[in-house]
Amino acid sequence: MKNTFGNNLSITLFGESHGVAIGAVLDGVTPGITVDMAFINKMLSLRKGIDEVSTSRREQDEIEILSGVFEGKTTGTPICIVIKNNDTRSKDYSLTKDLARPSHADFTAECKYRGFEDYRGGGHFSGRITAPIVAAAGIIIPALQKKGIIIGSHISECAGISDRDFEDISADIKALNGKEFAVLDDQKGSEMIEAIKCAKSQGDSVGGIVETAVTGLPWGVGEPWFDSVDGILSHAVFSVPGVKGIEFGKGFNIAQMTGSDANDCFENIDDNIVTKTNNSGGINGGITNGMPVIFRTAFRPTPTIAKAQNTVNIKTGENAILQAKGRHDPCIVHRAKVVVDSVTALALADLLITRYGTDWLSE
Amino acid sequence: MKNTFGNNLSITLFGESHGVAIGAVLDGVTPGITVDMAFINKMLSLRKGIDEVSTSRREQDEIEILSGVFEGKTTGTPICIVIKNNDTRSKDYSLTKDLARPSHADFTAECKYRGFEDYRGGGHFSGRITAPIVAAAGIIIPALQKKGIIIGSHISECAGISDRDFEDISADIKALNGKEFAVLDDQKGSEMIEAIKCAKSQGDSVGGIVETAVTGLPWGVGEPWFDSVDGILSHAVFSVPGVKGIEFGKGFNIAQMTGSDANDCFENIDDNIVTKTNNSGGINGGITNGMPVIFRTAFRPTPTIAKAQNTVNIKTGENAILQAKGRHDPCIVHRAKVVVDSVTALALADLLITRYGTDWLSE
Amino acid sequence: MKNTFGNNLSITLFGESHGVAIGAVLDGVTPGITVDMAFINKMLSLRKGIDEVSTSRREQDEIEILSGVFEGKTTGTPICIVIKNNDTRSKDYSLTKDLARPSHADFTAECKYRGFEDYRGGGHFSGRITAPIVAAAGIIIPALQKKGIIIGSHISECAGISDRDFEDISADIKALNGKEFAVLDDQKGSEMIEAIKCAKSQGDSVGGIVETAVTGLPWGVGEPWFDSVDGILSHAVFSVPGVKGIEFGKGFNIAQMTGSDANDCFENIDDNIVTKTNNSGGINGGITNGMPVIFRTAFRPTPTIAKAQNTVNIKTGENAILQAKGRHDPCIVHRAKVVVDSVTALALADLLITRYGTDWLSE
Amino acid sequence: MKNTFGNNLSITLFGESHGVAIGAVLDGVTPGITVDMAFINKMLSLRKGIDEVSTSRREQDEIEILSGVFEGKTTGTPICIVIKNNDTRSKDYSLTKDLARPSHADFTAECKYRGFEDYRGGGHFSGRITAPIVAAAGIIIPALQKKGIIIGSHISECAGISDRDFEDISADIKALNGKEFAVLDDQKGSEMIEAIKCAKSQGDSVGGIVETAVTGLPWGVGEPWFDSVDGILSHAVFSVPGVKGIEFGKGFNIAQMTGSDANDCFENIDDNIVTKTNNSGGINGGITNGMPVIFRTAFRPTPTIAKAQNTVNIKTGENAILQAKGRHDPCIVHRAKVVVDSVTALALADLLITRYGTDWLSE
């Protein structure tokens, strides 16, 4: 379904970076959910990142809700969210529009859309299109919270610098969700910011890893085989631009463990069935087991850099040198964190509504 | 859609490990594709693994095609593939049926299906259900090959031992696709097999990493945002039991690179636009760029081990000790390799048919 | 999705009339539903029709359930139902296989599948493929009944002879569901049967209209716009071979009424909101209003007749005369009745599960 | 998928009658299609109907395209179309907002959305939401025409007055597509308009039947069983408010014919395979046979009338009298004609793109 994700709670994206507007239609939302505009705006603000290490394109990201919300609550009908594009400097792109930016979608968009794509600022492939995802999730996340389901992520690694691991997940998430630069160890965060600035000063960029935890999920959520929790989450997370990997629980490291070390033994503690370890990241056979769902997402360094790069001219096929001029981010990891939270919320809410029905998120 | 995957070429799975039969319905297949039973059986044989390091359950895996094939060719209508279960020893499970095997789906199946699941041998969550996936892919892979699209995987790592990297991908895949234990460096393969045997002798199990390459894909395949090549492939790959991570191109390592190192610069070589490096794994913005698609899949060690483990009784909730008796694999990585190839083939064929129409795979 | 119908409860069909077997995979079924084989067989028997006015092809229609049922109850995993083809006389078709039977799918199948279709006995387009639909519904209908949702149909018209209208719907349905030739007025039924025999004796065929009523549906079921109850039901009903029209409530006749006559006024009777009339057939804005859902389905006369007909040779394009030899039905309306009931059950159960969750049909 | 229709070309609707705006997202459009705003506006104008027999609510219906169109052509990415609501008189509804209008969706919306729906002017169930469907189709219809596929409808019956039947379909469609009141016999059209005015003067409303023909469709389009041309078209057509029936070819009348009369015999005329008659409406086995696709859609009289009606108060359950005050249509058939054309275009284009690939509509 191309730009639509979700079975019973679905999001449909639209928009180009330098077009009239970007947006999303969120369908299947339980009626009666309170829409907290301040919360949505806070999430959008976090997505914009902090000035010193983010693009100088400063969109207001004022969202307008065209439908599906009445007297402050969701109606149950599709919610169309629109964000106007204002601060577009399309001429930044016109000079170099035929020069495919390495590791961007310029070339592949040309291949797919045969020259009819809106090339300005990455067009439909721009990371900017994640803003409506975040706004849509801004409606769903508080509803999940009221059901006791809490999602939180931190920048586990940036520019090679590691944050500390989750310890007390609930307390850690609580601390994280207010932060502009979401690390558990602020000292490490400062080091990361310095590294980003350093990359920026060199016309370069850096990447990182976001680690996400979800607590409070009921057990028994997810579907066998293709609509497994990990299958659905990975599908959603790879929709976020710049993602190159995802791992659940111990992830790639589990490949080096033995079964006896890796297995999460069950135990009954005070009439609650839990596992002693959580190497599986809260998922067995694609279904939640009641432990926190944990996964890590790898982000590449931003492909747009100020350094000169070899490339080809899409129209002529000739080799060329690209010297980018647009405004860009030396790092997107801290901005991407809230996008990962958002797709996680949407994907999980869809699975919950599939299992428990369309009214499940009722307040 | 739970047990159905794919938009225009879809597979629907059914079956339980110790039920009457397992199988799949493959719908949307281009009419007129030659069905090569020997090829399908070769793939099923590879999935069964080699005796010395695989389960002693030796199913014949004789497939029966009930529909959709006429006079040796696909008709275009749904192909139902059935594999009878013969060598079931359900009583191996009856004694311990209420003891949730750690890191298996026993507990989550109980949560989801409220006690009505077929618990024998993992039921619907058994890795055995991958056999019909492999059989279905056995129809599609030769058709892709005739279009110049070649898929190959090797055991990149097993029990901590690494195979060499891909060098000449086409030659490497050619060498791999005949092997029972798919490594590029057979010496390393022998070491891996020894390590698996060692784990087996200790009643334990090991995991590993499968690396997959796809050559010959046209550029411009894949859809923006949610039906991206990486999104669709990751969704398909997480359907394979035991997968805990996936990464494309440089994957998690790209998080530590700078943009200038990570970017894949385009160049025109003899009127063919290629990239100097392939850190992106052949995908930009979710769309193929004409370079090989490369990804790595992490497999956990098999959760069923002979060692005693702590667990709980699902029915009573009481703590218990589980001493497994069934026949199991000390490692599934070498068997999973062909399953990864299979879901890759099905997922890519779906994207190709979506782009080019239902007749695209015509011979 | 071609051969798959339903969002949360889905059915996938496979099989050809003269192939190895036909069948269906039913996915998304609530766990714990009792599977009553006698009931399923009774439905299949009704679908076979009564000897005197049905095809002389007498398939046993013995169903085999390969998966998804354990200890007599649904497990929640996909249920694969298989019916072997036994009584095939493919040579009846071989002589005339290139002569497109008028108003059959022979010609369009050739266009679509480019000569690779299994032409024998209508192949995948045969009405025989409705048997697995009926078997699948045979699992769902009793579960709906336990929730108070009752589906019943009668042959409202056959060969131009009309049955009486529904009066006391609940009592009428009760009377109908045991009948081999489902009419409310048995005298009219006898006349219909005579008319069918008469058509048969002339090597001809007749059609008719099936009227269906569903009682006990909760109000508020259905989705706005595209997943409306009428949209979904019509989609499902047109899947039944031979259907040329469907109308809800007053249907085509409402086009000649005035709004004041056609409107169904609400009234509160003993704290229950009902409508004085039911011209809308229980649906307003695509959503159930609590009144019985009523619709009528028009069936064409069976296209295969014994009379000589003009046609063309598909392979050569030459004009030809077809003198059919296969065994066929002079009327399918009485057999189709149970198929309409079946697709109705599957479509409504899907909408109910979408609304109330996957466990809604629990006993 | 609730408010989304289509597999490979999909439309997602949003909006409420008295909300900020209504609109649609059209996804999967072939890149490079010329967007003819004058054509779209002409279609929207036809949907508004002619003054004398339509609602006095006169929305400008100025559409804004937010995305997916660049330099006058489609890009291939989602097209978001927005129409602002301007001429809303919500207070017309506030007095009677708790009184369920008979045969409207007020009551069922309350049941489904549990009191959170936007009740004003029918909210999300308003016929006004068809405007974005028409605008979306306004992009697709010219592209289909360039492929030789022509869609046309006439008011076959209105207020009991019948138009003449199609004769020379191509010429008839040509004549129809420019008309504000689409009849083949203008004298009959004048009589219909008089009948509508008469109903209006009595505070009442009338219904009618729209007959649609599609010429130029390739043969072999459509999928077996569930994605049949008739299944898909009926699903789409029942999405249009007020539809109570649909029939293809001879429709309900075919139920009274014999097989020998009803069958469409093939013949080869000048190397073109056609049928002598077209009682099947261009479809055999759910697949196009190359003859014109013909169907008829029954519309109920507009449910909102000026006459007093019995009803209940949704909030209190008490019986009440409703005297409607809003601006309404005494007939919607002439307006609905263009909506039927529109959903037909979208549904068929989806089937064509499914069969032939996403680039099929290329100019």
Side-chain angles (χ1 to χ4, degrees):
Chain A
M1 287 291 286
K2 301 173 170 69
N3 295 282
T4 297
F5 189 80
N7 290 308
N8 291 295
L9 178 75
S10 65
I11 183 167
T12 299
L13 290 181
F14 60 85
E16 284 82 35
S17 181
H18 290 226
V20 178
I22 59 177
V25 179
L26 185 65
D27 194 12
V29 181
T30 300
I33 294 177
T34 303
V35 176
D36 180 346
M37 291 303 293
F39 181 85
I40 297 171
N41 286 326
K42 174 70 182 167
M43 283 189 66
L44 285 169
S45 166
L46 290 173
R47 198 202 69 93
K48 275 192 272 188
I50 49 180
D51 286 359
E52 49 188 344
V53 292
S54 306
T55 175
S56 57
R57 176 174 174 181
R58 304 313 287 169
E59 284 285 1
Q60 290 300 321
D61 285 351
E62 274 182 62
I63 72 162
E64 190 178 15
I65 293 180
L66 302 187
S67 62
V69 176
F70 182 54
E71 297 178 347
K73 289 180 186 290
T74 58
T75 57
T77 58
I79 300 171
C80 181
I81 298 167
V82 168
I83 304 175
K84 288 277 166 61
N85 290 319
N86 294 309
D87 187 16
T88 53
R89 292 197 206 153
S90 302
K91 69 177 177 336
D92 283 357
Y93 294 88
S94 58
L95 288 173
T96 55
K97 79 186 176 72
D98 295 339
L99 304 185
R101 292 170 299 164
S103 293
H104 262 286
D106 301 342
F107 174 72
T108 54
E110 174 83 9
C111 295
K112 178 164 177 52
Y113 297 118
R114 299 174 293 115
F116 295 106
E117 68 279 4
D118 180 352
Y119 59 82
R120 299 168 300 167
H124 186 55
F125 293 87
S126 168
R128 179 158 168 67
I129 316 300
T130 59
I133 297 178
V134 170
I139 295 169
I140 298 301
I141 287 173
L144 288 170
Q145 286 176 344
K146 285 173 191 165
K147 296 289 176 187
I149 298 165
I150 312 289
I151 299 166
S153 302
H154 70 119
I155 303 166
S156 171
E157 184 186 304
C158 182
I161 299 155
S162 295
D163 192 19
R164 75 159 167 83
D165 290 337
F166 276 122
E167 288 163 8
D168 176 339
I169 291 181
S170 294
D172 283 347
I173 290 177
K174 204 165 184 175
L176 284 168
N177 279 342
K179 287 190 185 179
E180 286 200 319
F181 195 89
V183 285
L184 293 167
D185 179 341
D186 287 330
Q187 176 54 38
K188 294 293 182 183
S190 300
E191 292 174 31
M192 291 175 189
I193 289 172
E194 284 312 304
I196 298 170
K197 285 183 186 169
C198 175
K200 184 183 184 182
S201 72
Q202 293 165 7
D204 215 329
S205 64
V206 294
I209 295 170
V210 169
E211 186 175 38
T212 303
V214 187
T215 62
L217 278 171
W219 53 35
V221 173
E223 302 293 335
W225 296 93
F226 300 117
D227 284 358
S228 64
V229 174
D230 31 2
I232 292 288
L233 279 176
S234 71
H235 191 159
V237 164
F238 271 108
S239 307
V240 184
V243 171
K244 298 307 285 185
I246 188 169
E247 57 181 6
F248 288 81
K250 284 285 179 203
F252 276 83
N253 288 332
I254 210 168
Q256 301 193 352
M257 296 170 77
T258 59
S260 54
D261 284 339
N263 280 0
D264 298 313
C265 291
F266 292 98
E267 59 181 340
N268 184 328
I269 297 183
D270 300 334
D271 277 340
N272 194 16
I273 295 175
V274 297
T275 60
K276 288 177 198 283
T277 50
N278 188 16
N279 299 327
S280 303
I283 303 167
N284 295 143
I287 317 264
T288 56
N289 66 12
M291 299 297 290
V293 167
I294 311 266
F295 62 92
R296 286 156 50 89
T297 306
F299 284 88
R300 51 162 299 131
T302 327
T304 311
I305 56 178
K307 287 185 174 177
Q309 296 179 90
N310 291 304
T311 190
V312 295
N313 181 304
I314 299 177
K315 300 298 181 190
T316 67
E318 289 171 352
N319 286 312
I321 304 287
L322 171 71
Q323 186 84 42
K325 283 231 159 51
R327 299 157 295 175
H328 305 287
D329 298 89
C331 181
I332 56 160
V333 181
H334 57 294
R335 300 180 61 186
K337 172 256 181 228
V338 73
V339 185
V340 173
D341 287 348
S342 295
V343 295
T344 301
L346 294 171
L348 292 174
D350 182 30
L351 286 170
L352 288 158
I353 283 175
T354 298
R355 176 76 198 275
Y356 299 115
T358 50
D359 287 348
W360 191 74
L361 281 176
S362 291
E363 293 179 356
Chain B
M1 287 292 286
K2 302 172 172 67
N3 295 282
T4 297
F5 188 81
N7 290 308
N8 291 296
L9 178 75
S10 64
I11 185 168
T12 299
L13 292 180
F14 61 85
E16 283 84 35
S17 181
H18 290 225
V20 178
I22 59 175
V25 179
L26 185 65
D27 194 12
V29 181
T30 299
I33 294 177
T34 304
V35 176
D36 180 346
M37 292 303 294
F39 182 86
I40 297 171
N41 286 325
K42 173 71 183 167
M43 284 188 67
L44 286 169
S45 167
L46 290 173
R47 198 201 70 92
K48 276 192 270 188
I50 49 181
D51 285 359
E52 50 189 341
V53 292
S54 306
T55 174
S56 58
R57 176 173 175 183
R58 305 314 288 170
E59 285 284 1
Q60 290 299 321
D61 285 353
E62 273 182 61
I63 72 163
E64 190 179 16
I65 295 181
L66 301 186
S67 62
V69 177
F70 182 55
E71 297 179 346
K73 290 180 186 289
T74 59
T75 57
T77 57
I79 299 170
C80 182
I81 297 165
V82 168
I83 303 175
K84 290 275 165 60
N85 290 319
N86 295 308
D87 186 17
T88 54
R89 293 196 205 152
S90 302
K91 68 178 178 338
D92 283 357
Y93 294 90
S94 59
L95 288 173
T96 55
K97 76 185 178 74
D98 295 339
L99 304 185
R101 292 170 299 164
S103 293
H104 261 286
D106 301 341
F107 174 72
T108 54
E110 174 84 9
C111 295
K112 176 163 178 53
Y113 298 117
R114 299 175 293 114
F116 295 106
E117 68 278 6
D118 179 352
Y119 57 83
R120 300 167 301 167
H124 186 55
F125 293 88
S126 167
R128 179 157 168 68
I129 317 300
T130 59
I133 298 178
V134 170
I139 296 170
I140 298 301
I141 286 174
L144 289 170
Q145 285 175 346
K146 285 174 191 164
K147 296 289 176 189
I149 299 166
I150 313 291
I151 299 167
S153 301
H154 70 119
I155 303 166
S156 171
E157 184 185 304
C158 180
I161 299 156
S162 295
D163 191 18
R164 75 159 166 82
D165 291 337
F166 276 124
E167 288 163 9
D168 176 337
I169 291 180
S170 295
D172 283 347
I173 291 177
K174 206 165 182 177
L176 285 168
N177 280 342
K179 290 190 181 176
E180 287 199 320
F181 195 89
V183 286
L184 294 167
D185 180 340
D186 287 329
Q187 176 55 39
K188 294 294 184 182
S190 300
E191 293 175 28
M192 292 175 189
I193 290 171
E194 284 312 305
I196 298 170
K197 285 183 188 171
C198 176
K200 185 183 182 182
S201 71
Q202 294 165 6
D204 216 328
S205 64
V206 294
I209 295 170
V210 170
E211 184 174 39
T212 303
V214 187
T215 61
L217 278 171
W219 53 35
V221 173
E223 302 293 335
W225 295 94
F226 300 116
D227 283 358
S228 64
V229 174
D230 33 1
I232 292 288
L233 278 175
S234 70
H235 191 158
V237 165
F238 271 108
S239 308
V240 184
V243 171
K244 299 308 284 185
I246 188 169
E247 59 181 5
F248 288 81
K250 285 287 179 202
F252 276 84
N253 288 332
I254 211 168
Q256 300 193 354
M257 296 169 77
T258 58
S260 53
D261 284 340
N263 281 359
D264 297 314
C265 290
F266 292 99
E267 61 182 339
N268 183 329
I269 297 183
D270 300 334
D271 276 340
N272 195 16
I273 296 176
V274 296
T275 60
K276 288 176 198 283
T277 50
N278 188 16
N279 299 327
S280 303
I283 302 167
N284 295 142
I287 317 264
T288 56
N289 66 12
M291 300 297 290
V293 167
I294 311 265
F295 63 91
R296 286 155 51 89
T297 306
F299 284 88
R300 53 162 298 130
T302 327
T304 311
I305 55 178
K307 289 184 171 176
Q309 297 179 90
N310 292 304
T311 190
V312 295
N313 182 305
I314 299 178
K315 302 297 179 189
T316 66
E318 287 172 352
N319 287 312
I321 303 287
L322 171 72
Q323 186 85 42
K325 282 229 160 55
R327 299 157 293 175
H328 305 286
D329 297 89
C331 181
I332 56 160
V333 180
H334 57 295
R335 299 181 61 186
K337 171 259 180 224
V338 72
V339 186
V340 173
D341 287 348
S342 294
V343 296
T344 301
L346 294 171
L348 291 175
D350 182 30
L351 287 171
L352 287 159
I353 282 175
T354 298
R355 176 75 197 276
Y356 299 115
T358 50
D359 286 349
W360 191 74
L361 281 176
S362 292
E363 292 178 358
Chain C
M1 286 292 283
K2 301 170 172 69
N3 295 281
T4 298
F5 188 81
N7 291 308
N8 291 296
L9 177 75
S10 64
I11 185 168
T12 299
L13 290 181
F14 60 85
E16 283 83 35
S17 181
H18 290 224
V20 178
I22 59 175
V25 180
L26 185 66
D27 194 12
V29 181
T30 300
I33 293 176
T34 303
V35 176
D36 179 346
M37 292 302 293
F39 182 85
I40 297 171
N41 286 325
K42 173 72 182 165
M43 282 188 66
L44 286 169
S45 167
L46 290 173
R47 197 203 69 93
K48 276 192 272 189
I50 48 180
D51 286 358
E52 49 188 342
V53 292
S54 307
T55 174
S56 58
R57 175 173 176 183
R58 305 314 288 169
E59 285 284 3
Q60 289 301 319
D61 284 353
E62 274 182 61
I63 74 163
E64 191 179 16
I65 294 181
L66 302 186
S67 62
V69 176
F70 182 54
E71 297 177 347
K73 289 178 186 288
T74 60
T75 58
T77 58
I79 299 170
C80 182
I81 298 166
V82 168
I83 303 175
K84 289 277 165 60
N85 290 321
N86 295 311
D87 185 17
T88 54
R89 292 197 205 152
S90 302
K91 69 177 174 344
D92 283 356
Y93 295 90
S94 58
L95 288 173
T96 54
K97 76 185 178 74
D98 295 339
L99 303 186
R101 291 171 300 164
S103 292
H104 261 287
D106 300 342
F107 174 72
T108 55
E110 174 84 8
C111 294
K112 176 162 178 55
Y113 297 118
R114 298 174 292 115
F116 296 106
E117 67 279 5
D118 180 352
Y119 58 83
R120 300 168 300 169
H124 186 54
F125 293 87
S126 167
R128 181 157 165 70
I129 318 301
T130 58
I133 297 178
V134 170
I139 296 170
I140 299 302
I141 286 173
L144 288 171
Q145 285 175 345
K146 285 174 190 165
K147 295 291 176 188
I149 298 165
I150 312 291
I151 299 167
S153 301
H154 70 120
I155 303 167
S156 171
E157 183 185 305
C158 182
I161 299 155
S162 296
D163 191 19
R164 75 159 167 83
D165 290 337
F166 277 123
E167 288 163 9
D168 177 338
I169 291 181
S170 295
D172 284 345
I173 291 178
K174 207 165 183 177
L176 285 169
N177 279 341
K179 289 191 183 177
E180 287 199 320
F181 195 90
V183 286
L184 294 167
D185 179 340
D186 287 330
Q187 175 57 37
K188 294 294 182 182
S190 300
E191 293 174 28
M192 292 175 189
I193 289 172
E194 284 311 305
I196 299 171
K197 284 183 188 171
C198 176
K200 187 182 180 182
S201 71
Q202 294 165 5
D204 215 329
S205 64
V206 295
I209 295 171
V210 170
E211 185 175 39
T212 303
V214 188
T215 61
L217 279 171
W219 52 35
V221 173
E223 301 293 336
W225 295 94
F226 300 116
D227 284 359
S228 63
V229 173
D230 31 3
I232 293 289
L233 279 177
S234 71
H235 191 158
V237 165
F238 271 108
S239 307
V240 184
V243 172
K244 299 309 284 183
I246 188 169
E247 58 181 5
F248 287 82
K250 285 285 180 205
F252 276 83
N253 288 332
I254 209 168
Q256 300 193 354
M257 297 170 76
T258 60
S260 53
D261 284 340
N263 281 0
D264 298 312
C265 290
F266 292 99
E267 61 181 340
N268 184 330
I269 298 183
D270 299 334
D271 277 340
N272 194 16
I273 296 175
V274 296
T275 60
K276 289 176 199 281
T277 50
N278 188 17
N279 299 327
S280 302
I283 302 167
N284 295 143
I287 317 263
T288 56
N289 66 11
M291 299 298 289
V293 167
I294 310 264
F295 62 92
R296 287 155 51 89
T297 306
F299 284 88
R300 51 161 301 132
T302 326
T304 310
I305 55 178
K307 288 185 174 176
Q309 297 179 90
N310 292 304
T311 189
V312 295
N313 182 305
I314 299 177
K315 301 298 180 189
T316 66
E318 288 170 352
N319 287 312
I321 303 287
L322 172 71
Q323 186 85 42
K325 284 229 161 51
R327 298 157 294 175
H328 305 287
D329 299 89
C331 180
I332 57 161
V333 180
H334 57 296
R335 300 180 61 186
K337 173 256 180 226
V338 73
V339 186
V340 173
D341 287 349
S342 294
V343 296
T344 300
L346 294 171
L348 291 174
D350 182 30
L351 286 171
L352 288 159
I353 283 175
T354 298
R355 176 76 199 274
Y356 299 115
T358 51
D359 287 349
W360 191 73
L361 281 176
S362 292
E363 293 178 357
Chain D
M1 286 290 286
K2 301 172 171 70
N3 295 281
T4 298
F5 188 81
N7 290 308
N8 291 296
L9 178 75
S10 65
I11 185 167
T12 299
L13 290 181
F14 60 86
E16 283 83 34
S17 181
H18 290 225
V20 178
I22 60 176
V25 179
L26 184 65
D27 195 11
V29 181
T30 299
I33 293 176
T34 303
V35 176
D36 179 346
M37 292 302 293
F39 182 84
I40 297 171
N41 286 325
K42 173 69 182 168
M43 284 188 66
L44 286 168
S45 167
L46 290 173
R47 197 201 70 92
K48 276 191 272 187
I50 49 180
D51 285 0
E52 49 190 341
V53 291
S54 307
T55 174
S56 58
R57 177 171 174 183
R58 303 314 289 170
E59 284 285 1
Q60 290 299 319
D61 284 352
E62 274 183 60
I63 72 163
E64 190 177 17
I65 294 180
L66 301 186
S67 62
V69 177
F70 182 54
E71 297 179 345
K73 288 178 187 291
T74 59
T75 59
T77 57
I79 299 171
C80 182
I81 297 166
V82 168
I83 303 175
K84 290 275 166 62
N85 291 320
N86 294 310
D87 186 18
T88 54
R89 292 197 204 153
S90 303
K91 67 176 176 345
D92 282 357
Y93 295 89
S94 57
L95 288 173
T96 55
K97 77 186 177 73
D98 295 339
L99 303 186
R101 293 171 298 164
S103 293
H104 261 287
D106 300 343
F107 174 71
T108 55
E110 175 84 8
C111 295
K112 176 163 179 54
Y113 297 119
R114 299 175 291 115
F116 295 106
E117 68 279 6
D118 179 352
Y119 58 83
R120 301 168 300 169
H124 185 54
F125 293 87
S126 168
R128 180 157 166 69
I129 316 301
T130 58
I133 297 178
V134 170
I139 295 169
I140 298 302
I141 286 173
L144 288 171
Q145 285 175 344
K146 284 174 192 166
K147 296 290 177 188
I149 299 165
I150 312 291
I151 299 166
S153 302
H154 71 120
I155 303 165
S156 170
E157 183 185 307
C158 182
I161 299 156
S162 296
D163 191 18
R164 76 160 166 84
D165 290 337
F166 276 123
E167 288 163 9
D168 176 339
I169 291 181
S170 295
D172 283 347
I173 291 177
K174 205 165 184 178
L176 285 168
N177 280 341
K179 289 191 183 177
E180 287 198 321
F181 195 88
V183 285
L184 294 168
D185 179 340
D186 287 330
Q187 175 56 37
K188 293 294 182 181
S190 299
E191 292 174 29
M192 292 175 189
I193 290 172
E194 283 313 304
I196 299 170
K197 284 184 188 170
C198 175
K200 186 182 181 182
S201 72
Q202 293 165 6
D204 215 328
S205 64
V206 294
I209 295 171
V210 170
E211 184 174 38
T212 303
V214 187
T215 62
L217 278 170
W219 52 35
V221 173
E223 302 292 335
W225 295 94
F226 300 117
D227 283 359
S228 64
V229 173
D230 32 1
I232 293 289
L233 279 176
S234 71
H235 191 158
V237 164
F238 272 107
S239 308
V240 184
V243 172
K244 298 308 283 184
I246 188 169
E247 58 181 4
F248 288 81
K250 284 287 178 202
F252 276 84
N253 288 332
I254 210 168
Q256 301 193 352
M257 296 169 77
T258 59
S260 53
D261 284 338
N263 281 1
D264 298 313
C265 290
F266 293 98
E267 61 182 339
N268 183 328
I269 297 183
D270 300 334
D271 277 341
N272 195 17
I273 296 175
V274 296
T275 59
K276 288 176 199 281
T277 50
N278 188 17
N279 299 327
S280 302
I283 303 167
N284 295 143
I287 318 265
T288 55
N289 65 11
M291 298 298 290
V293 167
I294 310 265
F295 62 92
R296 288 156 49 90
T297 305
F299 284 89
R300 52 162 298 130
T302 326
T304 312
I305 56 178
K307 289 184 172 175
Q309 297 179 92
N310 291 304
T311 189
V312 296
N313 182 305
I314 300 177
K315 302 298 179 189
T316 66
E318 288 170 352
N319 287 312
I321 303 286
L322 172 71
Q323 185 85 43
K325 284 230 161 50
R327 299 158 293 175
H328 304 288
D329 297 89
C331 180
I332 56 161
V333 181
H334 58 295
R335 298 181 62 187
K337 173 257 181 229
V338 72
V339 185
V340 173
D341 287 346
S342 294
V343 295
T344 300
L346 294 170
L348 291 175
D350 182 30
L351 286 171
L352 287 159
I353 283 175
T354 298
R355 175 77 198 272
Y356 299 115
T358 51
D359 287 349
W360 191 74
L361 282 176
S362 292
E363 294 179 357

